[in-house]
Amino acid sequence: MDVDLNNEAHKESQSVHVEPSKVKEISAPEDIEGPEDAEGYKKRHLNVVFIGHVDAGKSTTGGQILFLSGQVDDRTIQKYEKEAKDKSRESWYMAYIMDTNEEERVKGKTVEVGRAHFETETTRFTILDAPGHKSYVPNMISGASQADIGVLVISARKGEFETGYERGGQTREHVQLAKTLGVSKLLVVVNKMDDPTVNWSKERYDEIESKMIPFLRSSGYNVKKDVHFLPLSGLVGLNMKTRVDKSLCSWWNGPCLFEALDAIDVPFRDPKGPFRMPIIDKFKDMGTVVMGKVESGSVREGDSLLVMPNKVQVKVFAVYCDENKVKLAGPGENVRVRLSGIEEEDIISGFVLSSIAKPIPAVYEFVAQLQILELLDNAIFTAGYKAVLHIHSIVEECEIIELLQQIDPKTKKPMKKKVLFVKNGAVVLCRIQVNNLICIEKFSDFPQLGRFTLRTEGKTVAMGKVMDLNSASSI
Ligand code: GTP
Ligand code: MG
């Protein structure tokens, strides 16, 4: 299904410092154990983004997780069933748990990223339910940039896997964006296994897995180490909290979704590194409150920090993880920080809360290695090319100033010939300029703050890594 919902994509290409979408908070995590002591947590915490083509079943699966973990009662489900029926969207009632806006319920499409919480044996999870429709890719990017791991939802229903996977489908685009945005591990759930066209067929499951593997590999994922597949029915809730019954699916011997999420290992992040938190949102509430994900270091009450790039020194009044006030929050946590010393108007999303001793660099220009994906109308890529840069929570217009060197994709070595333009598929080193100071890092120092995408007219045209920061223009 592909309806043009609005003109978001077009708006995006003209915007500078666009406010990233607000997330909608779904489950309040009162009954979930918060941080335990000042230095650590009883349970680890992971942010999981649900990605995949429109209608794959992301919200349905997210909603089912909340139902199975006891956060939504039967009465609410019955109410949603009735509401969905009234809107002639009978099968969407589970998705209504995540899709809380009227627009989303009427159209059956997620627009804003929904955020919810649940926990398994070993882990506290924050779910980020991204929209699949191509008009809302900027919202998906903001969801993915907050995540550590991804659940890629694929519909096994006849024809639906094919539409999502073909060129221009969001299965491909979401995978490439997730990798670029630092989503290091993927659980690929082959959903709608209960559908009459699938009926828990091993053949269909194997077909999807075998087609996805080479693509995931070409997108940069180590399929053996970083990717796991499993069959699922989000709507019926099978192979989720407990393993699917053998009488239904005799061939599946692997884990269910909750087990697989429990078992995911993520790389260690140093809580003692220099503090970095890109700001995704801000508001006024007894001072100035900023929201974001801690990408490096830790923050605690009483800390003095810098808001960059405007170099305003601030003091931390309070730190909140989900709804709980905490003394300390480390890397990977989504937090709200109440600050004194700055007005809310003086902060723009994309600014970075940073350590004073080692502040994040602010630049107008940087050198990047770009992988060109697919240019609009097969345009050529050359100096003067303009696009929208998405890097952590920054959305900013940019211009390619100079192509420096083309890289041979096979040998990964620079080619000798001087390069003036490149085409689809090329890998190229170039200089990129922006009009406003932005705070970014070299990919080799802080991968999460040094990888980015370029988009034009609502399409992702390139992915890149920051190789060098231009110190002449930094402050
Ligand atoms: P967007 O947010 O618009 O990208 O869609 P989504 O991926 O969140 O899909 P959503 O959960 O809204 O589900 C889309 C449709 O697929 C609804 O009609 C669901 O009932 C149906 N669906 C989702 N999961 C399953 C499943 O496991 N089995 C079957 N049979 N249908 C499902
Ligand atoms: Mg959805």
Side-chain angles (χ1 to χ4, degrees), residues 52-61 89-95 99 108-111 129-133 153 157 160 191-196 232-237:
H53 193 69
V54 68
D55 282 350
K58 300 175 289 298
S59 304
T60 300
T61 306
R89 292 205 168 273
E90 279 91 335
S91 64
W92 260 265
Y93 64 95
M94 270 292 164
D99 292 336
K109 304 266 167 300
T110 304
V111 178
D129 174 31
H133 194 277
V153 183
R157 183 183 282 163
E160 287 191 357
N191 188 33
K192 308 200 186 180
M193 290 299 289
D194 63 291
D195 188 82
L232 193 95
S233 168
L235 187 61
V236 191

Side-chain angles (χ1 to χ4, degrees), residues 124-373:
R124 293 177 299 129
F125 287 99
T126 299
I127 304 176
L128 300 151
D129 174 31
H133 194 277
K134 62 175 188 287
S135 296
Y136 306 124
V137 171
N139 291 1
M140 176 274 171
I141 290 175
S142 106
S145 67
Q146 299 165 56
D148 311 290
I149 60 171
V151 171
L152 171 64
V153 183
I154 293 184
S155 168
R157 183 183 282 163
K158 196 170 177 206
E160 287 191 357
F161 163 66
E162 286 72 14
T163 324
Y165 184 64
E166 69 197 15
R167 268 172 187 278
Q170 270 55 57
T171 304
R172 282 171 183 268
E173 186 174 23
H174 280 195
V175 168
Q176 288 166 334
L177 287 168
K179 179 69 193 165
T180 316
L181 293 161
V183 176
S184 60
K185 307 261 170 159
L186 276 188
L187 270 186
V188 184
V189 302
V190 180
N191 188 33
K192 308 200 186 180
M193 290 299 289
D194 63 291
D195 188 82
T197 65
V198 188
N199 203 12
W200 296 91
S201 149
K202 178 172 188 318
E203 223 183 342
R204 179 63 166 161
Y205 177 85
D206 288 345
E207 179 196 357
I208 293 172
E209 189 181 85
S210 65
K211 286 192 173 141
M212 285 304 296
I213 285 175
F215 170 69
L216 290 164
R217 198 169 280 140
S218 72
S219 305
Y221 282 101
N222 179 334
V223 177
K224 276 218 178 85
K225 262 180 52 207
D226 301 333
V227 181
H228 290 280
F229 284 82
L230 56 94
L232 193 95
S233 168
L235 187 61
V236 191
L238 290 177
N239 209 31
M240 291 186 65
K241 198 176 177 183
T242 53
R243 294 187 181 194
V244 59
D245 206 279
K246 287 275 181 207
S247 62
L248 202 58
C249 184
S250 58
W251 49 269
W252 183 248
N253 298 311
C256 58
L257 180 66
F258 281 34
E259 285 176 298
L261 283 168
D262 248 353
I264 281 189
D265 228 9
V266 289
F268 173 76
R269 279 173 300 200
D270 183 9
K272 298 203 166 67
F275 186 70
R276 305 275 185 268
M277 186 195 95
I279 297 171
I280 55 171
D281 205 358
K282 42 113 198 220
F283 54 92
K284 244 192 208 129
D285 179 20
M286 296 190 304
T288 301
V289 179
V290 291
M291 286 172 62
K293 180 180 164 205
V294 178
E295 293 293 2
S296 164
S298 306
V299 59
R300 67 176 79 223
E301 248 176 62
D303 277 356
S304 289
L305 295 170
L306 271 186
V307 173
M308 291 290 286
N310 49 353
K311 279 186 155 174
V312 178
Q313 190 165 333
V314 292
K315 197 146 179 105
V316 175
F317 256 177
V319 183
Y320 299 86
C321 252
D322 303 328
E323 298 303 309
N324 311 309
K325 193 162 180 233
V326 294
K327 288 212 171 65
L328 168 97
E333 292 286 350
N334 279 310
V335 295
R336 281 178 295 131
V337 184
R338 176 171 287 129
L339 302 171
S340 65
I342 193 161
E343 292 302 318
E344 177 245 348
E345 301 83 71
D346 297 328
I347 300 176
I348 302 175
S349 52
F351 281 14
V352 179
L353 199 55
S354 159
S355 110
I356 297 179
K358 282 194 185 153
I360 185 167
V363 298
Y364 286 111
E365 201 184 294
F366 59 98
V367 173
Q369 179 175 315
L370 278 182
Q371 155 97 57
I372 314 288
L373 300 172

